[in-house]
Short mmCIF file of all heavy atoms in Angstrom, two decimals:
data_model
loop_
_atom_site.label_atom_id
_atom_site.label_comp_id
_atom_site.label_asym_id
_atom_site.label_seq_id
_atom_site.Cartn_x
_atom_site.Cartn_y
_atom_site.Cartn_z
N TRP R 50 6.00 -10.66 0.90
CA TRP R 50 5.99 -10.40 2.35
C TRP R 50 5.20 -11.47 3.11
O TRP R 50 5.55 -11.84 4.22
CB TRP R 50 5.40 -9.00 2.61
CG TRP R 50 5.59 -8.54 4.02
CD1 TRP R 50 6.62 -7.79 4.51
CD2 TRP R 50 4.74 -8.81 5.15
NE1 TRP R 50 6.47 -7.59 5.86
CE2 TRP R 50 5.31 -8.19 6.28
CE3 TRP R 50 3.54 -9.51 5.31
CZ2 TRP R 50 4.75 -8.25 7.55
CZ3 TRP R 50 2.98 -9.57 6.58
CH2 TRP R 50 3.58 -8.95 7.68
N VAL R 85 9.66 -7.55 -13.78
CA VAL R 85 8.83 -7.22 -12.61
C VAL R 85 9.57 -6.13 -11.83
O VAL R 85 10.65 -6.37 -11.30
CB VAL R 85 8.59 -8.44 -11.70
CG1 VAL R 85 7.87 -8.02 -10.41
CG2 VAL R 85 7.78 -9.50 -12.43
N PRO R 86 9.00 -4.91 -11.79
CA PRO R 86 9.62 -3.88 -10.95
C PRO R 86 9.39 -4.23 -9.48
O PRO R 86 8.32 -4.73 -9.13
CB PRO R 86 8.86 -2.60 -11.30
CG PRO R 86 8.02 -2.92 -12.49
CD PRO R 86 7.80 -4.39 -12.49
N GLN R 87 10.39 -3.97 -8.66
CA GLN R 87 10.22 -4.24 -7.23
C GLN R 87 10.82 -3.11 -6.41
O GLN R 87 11.92 -2.65 -6.67
CB GLN R 87 10.91 -5.56 -6.86
CG GLN R 87 10.57 -6.02 -5.45
CD GLN R 87 11.35 -7.26 -5.03
OE1 GLN R 87 12.41 -7.13 -4.42
NE2 GLN R 87 10.82 -8.43 -5.35
N GLY R 88 10.05 -2.66 -5.42
CA GLY R 88 10.54 -1.65 -4.48
C GLY R 88 10.92 -2.33 -3.18
O GLY R 88 11.91 -3.07 -3.09
N GLY R 89 10.10 -2.13 -2.15
CA GLY R 89 10.39 -2.72 -0.84
C GLY R 89 9.89 -4.14 -0.68
O GLY R 89 10.12 -4.77 0.35
N ASN R 90 9.17 -4.66 -1.69
CA ASN R 90 8.62 -6.03 -1.64
C ASN R 90 7.70 -6.21 -0.44
O ASN R 90 7.70 -7.27 0.19
CB ASN R 90 9.75 -7.06 -1.64
CG ASN R 90 9.25 -8.46 -2.03
OD1 ASN R 90 8.15 -8.59 -2.57
ND2 ASN R 90 10.04 -9.48 -1.75
N THR R 91 6.92 -5.18 -0.13
CA THR R 91 5.94 -5.29 0.95
C THR R 91 4.51 -5.42 0.42
O THR R 91 3.56 -5.46 1.21
CB THR R 91 5.97 -4.06 1.89
OG1 THR R 91 5.54 -2.91 1.14
CG2 THR R 91 7.35 -3.82 2.46
N GLY R 92 4.36 -5.46 -0.90
CA GLY R 92 3.03 -5.56 -1.50
C GLY R 92 2.33 -6.83 -1.01
O GLY R 92 2.97 -7.84 -0.70
N LEU R 93 0.99 -6.75 -0.94
CA LEU R 93 0.25 -7.86 -0.33
C LEU R 93 -0.65 -8.58 -1.33
O LEU R 93 -1.53 -9.34 -0.92
CB LEU R 93 -0.59 -7.30 0.84
CG LEU R 93 0.24 -6.73 2.00
CD1 LEU R 93 -0.66 -6.04 3.03
CD2 LEU R 93 1.08 -7.82 2.67
N GLY R 96 2.23 -9.07 -6.42
CA GLY R 96 2.59 -8.36 -7.64
C GLY R 96 4.07 -8.05 -7.78
O GLY R 96 4.52 -7.61 -8.83
N SER R 97 4.84 -8.30 -6.72
CA SER R 97 6.22 -7.79 -6.74
C SER R 97 7.27 -8.87 -6.95
O SER R 97 8.46 -8.58 -6.91
CB SER R 97 6.49 -7.06 -5.42
OG SER R 97 6.18 -7.89 -4.32
N THR R 108 14.35 -1.18 -7.43
CA THR R 108 14.56 0.28 -7.49
C THR R 108 15.26 0.81 -6.24
O THR R 108 15.38 2.02 -6.08
CB THR R 108 13.20 1.00 -7.60
OG1 THR R 108 12.42 0.62 -6.46
CG2 THR R 108 12.48 0.63 -8.87
N ALA R 128 12.68 6.77 -6.65
CA ALA R 128 11.61 5.80 -6.41
C ALA R 128 11.94 4.82 -5.29
O ALA R 128 11.05 4.25 -4.67
CB ALA R 128 11.34 5.01 -7.69
N ASP R 149 0.96 7.14 5.00
CA ASP R 149 1.61 6.45 6.11
C ASP R 149 0.91 5.12 6.38
O ASP R 149 -0.32 5.05 6.35
CB ASP R 149 1.54 7.34 7.36
CG ASP R 149 2.43 6.82 8.49
OD1 ASP R 149 3.37 6.05 8.22
OD2 ASP R 149 2.17 7.19 9.65
N PHE R 150 1.70 4.10 6.61
CA PHE R 150 1.15 2.80 7.04
C PHE R 150 2.27 1.97 7.64
O PHE R 150 3.44 2.36 7.59
CB PHE R 150 0.43 2.07 5.89
CG PHE R 150 1.16 2.05 4.57
CD1 PHE R 150 2.10 1.07 4.29
CD2 PHE R 150 0.87 3.00 3.60
CE1 PHE R 150 2.74 1.05 3.07
CE2 PHE R 150 1.52 2.98 2.37
CZ PHE R 150 2.45 2.00 2.11
N ALA R 151 1.90 0.81 8.19
CA ALA R 151 2.84 0.06 9.03
C ALA R 151 4.13 -0.34 8.32
O ALA R 151 5.17 -0.47 8.96
CB ALA R 151 2.15 -1.18 9.58
N ALA R 152 4.09 -0.51 7.00
CA ALA R 152 5.29 -0.94 6.28
C ALA R 152 6.16 0.26 5.89
O ALA R 152 7.01 0.16 4.99
CB ALA R 152 4.89 -1.73 5.03
N SER R 155 9.96 0.05 4.97
CA SER R 155 10.42 -0.77 3.84
C SER R 155 9.75 -0.36 2.53
O SER R 155 10.38 -0.38 1.47
CB SER R 155 10.10 -2.25 4.07
OG SER R 155 10.52 -2.67 5.32
N ALA R 156 8.48 -0.01 2.58
CA ALA R 156 7.76 0.33 1.35
C ALA R 156 8.37 1.58 0.72
O ALA R 156 8.71 2.53 1.42
CB ALA R 156 6.28 0.58 1.66
N THR R 157 8.51 1.56 -0.61
CA THR R 157 9.16 2.67 -1.31
C THR R 157 8.15 3.62 -1.92
O THR R 157 6.98 3.27 -2.12
CB THR R 157 10.06 2.13 -2.44
OG1 THR R 157 9.20 1.44 -3.38
CG2 THR R 157 11.12 1.18 -1.91
N ILE R 158 8.64 4.79 -2.27
CA ILE R 158 7.79 5.76 -2.96
C ILE R 158 7.32 5.17 -4.30
O ILE R 158 6.14 5.26 -4.65
CB ILE R 158 8.56 7.09 -3.17
CG1 ILE R 158 8.72 7.80 -1.82
CG2 ILE R 158 7.89 7.99 -4.20
CD1 ILE R 158 7.41 8.19 -1.13
N GLY R 159 8.22 4.51 -5.03
CA GLY R 159 7.82 3.91 -6.32
C GLY R 159 6.73 2.87 -6.14
O GLY R 159 5.75 2.85 -6.88
N GLY R 160 6.90 2.02 -5.13
CA GLY R 160 5.90 0.97 -4.89
C GLY R 160 4.58 1.57 -4.43
O GLY R 160 3.49 1.11 -4.83
N SER R 161 4.66 2.62 -3.61
CA SER R 161 3.41 3.21 -3.12
C SER R 161 2.68 3.95 -4.25
O SER R 161 1.45 4.00 -4.28
CB SER R 161 3.67 4.13 -1.93
OG SER R 161 4.50 5.21 -2.31
N ILE R 162 3.45 4.49 -5.20
CA ILE R 162 2.81 5.12 -6.36
C ILE R 162 2.20 4.02 -7.25
O ILE R 162 1.05 4.11 -7.68
CB ILE R 162 3.84 5.97 -7.14
CG1 ILE R 162 4.19 7.21 -6.33
CG2 ILE R 162 3.30 6.35 -8.52
CD1 ILE R 162 5.33 8.04 -6.90
N ALA R 163 2.98 2.97 -7.47
CA ALA R 163 2.50 1.89 -8.36
C ALA R 163 1.23 1.25 -7.82
O ALA R 163 0.41 0.74 -8.58
CB ALA R 163 3.59 0.84 -8.54
N THR R 164 1.06 1.25 -6.49
CA THR R 164 -0.16 0.65 -5.91
C THR R 164 -1.19 1.71 -5.51
O THR R 164 -2.24 1.37 -4.99
CB THR R 164 0.19 -0.18 -4.65
OG1 THR R 164 0.89 0.65 -3.72
CG2 THR R 164 1.07 -1.38 -4.99
N ASN R 165 -0.84 2.99 -5.72
CA ASN R 165 -1.68 4.09 -5.21
C ASN R 165 -2.06 3.80 -3.76
O ASN R 165 -3.25 3.75 -3.38
CB ASN R 165 -2.94 4.28 -6.07
CG ASN R 165 -3.73 5.53 -5.67
OD1 ASN R 165 -3.15 6.51 -5.20
ND2 ASN R 165 -5.04 5.48 -5.84
N ALA R 166 -1.05 3.62 -2.94
CA ALA R 166 -1.27 3.15 -1.57
C ALA R 166 -2.15 4.11 -0.77
O ALA R 166 -2.17 5.32 -1.01
CB ALA R 166 0.08 2.97 -0.87
N GLY R 167 -2.85 3.52 0.18
CA GLY R 167 -3.74 4.30 1.05
C GLY R 167 -3.10 4.46 2.42
O GLY R 167 -2.17 5.21 2.59
N GLY R 168 -3.61 3.70 3.39
CA GLY R 168 -3.02 3.75 4.73
C GLY R 168 -3.90 4.45 5.74
O GLY R 168 -5.11 4.58 5.55
N ILE R 169 -3.26 4.95 6.80
CA ILE R 169 -4.02 5.37 7.98
C ILE R 169 -4.53 6.82 7.90
O ILE R 169 -5.32 7.21 8.75
CB ILE R 169 -3.16 5.18 9.26
CG1 ILE R 169 -1.84 5.93 9.16
CG2 ILE R 169 -2.91 3.70 9.53
CD1 ILE R 169 -0.92 5.73 10.37
N GLU R 217 0.60 -0.52 -11.07
CA GLU R 217 1.18 -1.78 -10.57
C GLU R 217 2.35 -2.30 -11.43
O GLU R 217 2.50 -3.51 -11.62
CB GLU R 217 0.09 -2.85 -10.43
CG GLU R 217 -1.03 -2.42 -9.49
CD GLU R 217 -1.99 -3.53 -9.11
OE1 GLU R 217 -1.57 -4.69 -9.05
OE2 GLU R 217 -3.18 -3.23 -8.90
N GLY R 218 3.12 -1.40 -11.97
CA GLY R 218 4.29 -1.82 -12.75
C GLY R 218 3.95 -2.34 -14.13
O GLY R 218 4.82 -2.87 -14.82
N GLY R 221 5.28 0.84 -16.77
CA GLY R 221 6.67 1.28 -16.76
C GLY R 221 7.21 1.26 -15.35
O GLY R 221 6.52 0.83 -14.42
N ILE R 222 8.44 1.73 -15.23
CA ILE R 222 9.09 1.76 -13.90
C ILE R 222 9.20 3.21 -13.46
O ILE R 222 9.84 4.03 -14.14
CB ILE R 222 10.50 1.13 -13.96
CG1 ILE R 222 10.40 -0.32 -14.47
CG2 ILE R 222 11.17 1.19 -12.59
CD1 ILE R 222 11.74 -1.03 -14.60
N VAL R 223 8.57 3.52 -12.36
CA VAL R 223 8.68 4.88 -11.80
C VAL R 223 10.10 5.01 -11.27
O VAL R 223 10.59 4.14 -10.54
CB VAL R 223 7.67 5.07 -10.64
CG1 VAL R 223 7.86 6.43 -9.98
CG2 VAL R 223 6.24 4.89 -11.14
N THR R 224 10.78 6.10 -11.63
CA THR R 224 12.16 6.28 -11.16
C THR R 224 12.29 7.44 -10.18
O THR R 224 13.22 7.46 -9.39
CB THR R 224 13.12 6.50 -12.35
OG1 THR R 224 12.59 7.56 -13.15
CG2 THR R 224 13.27 5.24 -13.18
N ARG R 337 -3.01 -2.02 16.73
CA ARG R 337 -3.63 -1.97 15.40
C ARG R 337 -2.65 -2.45 14.31
O ARG R 337 -2.97 -3.29 13.49
CB ARG R 337 -4.10 -0.54 15.12
CG ARG R 337 -4.35 -0.19 13.67
CD ARG R 337 -5.47 -1.02 13.05
NE ARG R 337 -5.62 -0.67 11.64
CZ ARG R 337 -4.95 -1.24 10.65
NH1 ARG R 337 -4.08 -2.21 10.89
NH2 ARG R 337 -5.15 -0.86 9.40
N GLU R 338 -1.42 -1.91 14.34
CA GLU R 338 -0.51 -2.17 13.21
C GLU R 338 0.07 -3.57 13.23
O GLU R 338 0.54 -4.06 12.21
CB GLU R 338 0.60 -1.11 13.19
CG GLU R 338 0.05 0.28 12.86
CD GLU R 338 1.10 1.26 12.36
OE1 GLU R 338 2.27 1.14 12.78
OE2 GLU R 338 0.73 2.15 11.58
N THR R 341 -1.27 -7.34 11.05
CA THR R 341 -0.77 -8.02 9.83
C THR R 341 0.32 -9.04 10.18
O THR R 341 0.19 -10.22 9.80
CB THR R 341 -0.25 -6.97 8.82
OG1 THR R 341 -1.27 -6.00 8.67
CG2 THR R 341 0.08 -7.59 7.49
N PRO R 342 1.39 -8.65 10.92
CA PRO R 342 2.38 -9.68 11.26
C PRO R 342 1.84 -10.76 12.19
O PRO R 342 2.24 -11.92 12.06
CB PRO R 342 3.51 -8.89 11.93
CG PRO R 342 2.99 -7.53 12.22
CD PRO R 342 1.83 -7.29 11.30
N HIS R 387 -9.53 0.53 8.06
CA HIS R 387 -9.61 1.99 8.10
C HIS R 387 -11.10 2.35 8.11
O HIS R 387 -11.72 2.49 7.04
CB HIS R 387 -8.88 2.56 6.89
CG HIS R 387 -7.53 1.89 6.65
ND1 HIS R 387 -6.45 2.12 7.46
CD2 HIS R 387 -7.12 0.97 5.74
CE1 HIS R 387 -5.41 1.40 7.04
NE2 HIS R 387 -5.80 0.69 6.00
N HIS R 394 -9.91 -4.92 6.07
CA HIS R 394 -8.99 -5.99 5.66
C HIS R 394 -9.55 -7.27 6.25
O HIS R 394 -9.64 -7.42 7.48
CB HIS R 394 -7.59 -5.70 6.17
CG HIS R 394 -7.02 -4.44 5.59
ND1 HIS R 394 -6.94 -4.21 4.23
CD2 HIS R 394 -6.55 -3.31 6.17
CE1 HIS R 394 -6.42 -3.02 4.02
NE2 HIS R 394 -6.19 -2.45 5.18
N GLU R 428 -7.06 -0.66 -1.45
CA GLU R 428 -5.80 0.10 -1.44
C GLU R 428 -4.58 -0.74 -1.82
O GLU R 428 -3.53 -0.18 -2.11
CB GLU R 428 -5.58 0.75 -0.07
CG GLU R 428 -5.62 -0.25 1.09
CD GLU R 428 -5.27 0.38 2.45
OE1 GLU R 428 -5.24 1.61 2.56
OE2 GLU R 428 -5.02 -0.40 3.39
N HIS R 429 -4.65 -2.06 -1.82
CA HIS R 429 -3.45 -2.86 -2.11
C HIS R 429 -3.26 -3.10 -3.59
O HIS R 429 -2.18 -3.52 -4.01
CB HIS R 429 -3.52 -4.21 -1.40
CG HIS R 429 -3.53 -4.10 0.09
ND1 HIS R 429 -3.92 -5.11 0.91
CD2 HIS R 429 -3.20 -3.07 0.91
CE1 HIS R 429 -3.83 -4.73 2.18
NE2 HIS R 429 -3.41 -3.49 2.19
N ASN R 465 5.54 -6.27 -16.03
CA ASN R 465 4.77 -7.01 -15.01
C ASN R 465 3.56 -7.77 -15.58
O ASN R 465 2.40 -7.47 -15.25
CB ASN R 465 4.33 -6.06 -13.88
CG ASN R 465 4.33 -6.80 -12.54
OD1 ASN R 465 4.52 -8.02 -12.51
ND2 ASN R 465 4.11 -6.10 -11.46
N VAL R 468 0.23 -9.35 -13.44
CA VAL R 468 -0.71 -8.64 -12.57
C VAL R 468 -1.82 -7.94 -13.35
O VAL R 468 -1.72 -7.74 -14.55
CB VAL R 468 0.01 -7.59 -11.68
CG1 VAL R 468 1.15 -8.20 -10.92
CG2 VAL R 468 0.49 -6.41 -12.50
P1 FAD K 1 6.52 -3.67 -3.89
O1 FAD K 1 5.88 -4.60 -2.95
O2 FAD K 1 7.93 -3.89 -4.20
O3 FAD K 1 5.68 -3.65 -5.24
C1 FAD K 1 4.29 -3.48 -5.24
C2 FAD K 1 3.80 -3.33 -6.69
O4 FAD K 1 4.32 -2.13 -7.25
C3 FAD K 1 4.27 -4.45 -7.62
O5 FAD K 1 3.28 -4.66 -8.58
C4 FAD K 1 5.53 -3.87 -8.27
O6 FAD K 1 5.79 -4.42 -9.53
C5 FAD K 1 5.16 -2.40 -8.38
N1 FAD K 1 6.31 -1.48 -8.25
C6 FAD K 1 7.16 -1.36 -7.19
N2 FAD K 1 8.03 -0.36 -7.42
C7 FAD K 1 7.73 0.16 -8.63
C8 FAD K 1 8.27 1.22 -9.42
N3 FAD K 1 9.28 1.97 -9.00
N4 FAD K 1 7.69 1.46 -10.63
C9 FAD K 1 6.65 0.72 -11.07
N5 FAD K 1 6.12 -0.28 -10.39
C10 FAD K 1 6.64 -0.56 -9.16
N6 FAD K 1 -0.79 -0.74 1.65
C11 FAD K 1 -1.71 0.25 1.75
O7 FAD K 1 -2.14 0.79 0.74
N7 FAD K 1 -2.18 0.66 2.96
C12 FAD K 1 -1.76 0.12 4.12
O8 FAD K 1 -2.23 0.48 5.19
C13 FAD K 1 -0.76 -0.90 4.05
N8 FAD K 1 -0.27 -1.46 5.17
C14 FAD K 1 0.66 -2.45 5.09
C15 FAD K 1 1.16 -2.99 6.26
C16 FAD K 1 2.10 -4.02 6.23
C17 FAD K 1 2.63 -4.60 7.51
C18 FAD K 1 2.55 -4.50 4.97
C19 FAD K 1 3.56 -5.60 4.89
C20 FAD K 1 2.05 -3.95 3.80
C21 FAD K 1 1.10 -2.92 3.84
N9 FAD K 1 0.59 -2.34 2.68
C22 FAD K 1 -0.32 -1.32 2.77
C23 FAD K 1 0.95 -2.86 1.36
C24 FAD K 1 2.27 -2.31 0.77
O9 FAD K 1 3.12 -1.89 1.76
C25 FAD K 1 2.00 -1.20 -0.20
O10 FAD K 1 1.31 -1.72 -1.30
C26 FAD K 1 3.25 -0.48 -0.69
O11 FAD K 1 2.84 0.65 -1.42
C27 FAD K 1 4.16 -1.33 -1.55
O12 FAD K 1 5.41 -0.67 -1.70
P2 FAD K 1 6.73 -1.49 -2.05
O13 FAD K 1 7.81 -0.53 -2.31
O14 FAD K 1 6.99 -2.51 -1.02
O15 FAD K 1 6.29 -2.18 -3.42
#
Side-chain angles (χ1 to χ4, degrees):
W50 191 92
V85 173
Q87 190 185 93
N90 198 16
T91 66
L93 296 172
S97 53
T108 59
D149 192 21
F150 46 85
S155 311
T157 62
I158 288 299
S161 62
I162 289 172
T164 56
N165 188 30
I169 56 182
E217 301 191 32
I222 302 179
V223 175
T224 52
R337 161 63 182 88
E338 293 200 329
T341 309
H387 315 287
H394 298 305
E428 56 175 13
H429 297 163
N465 214 353
V468 307

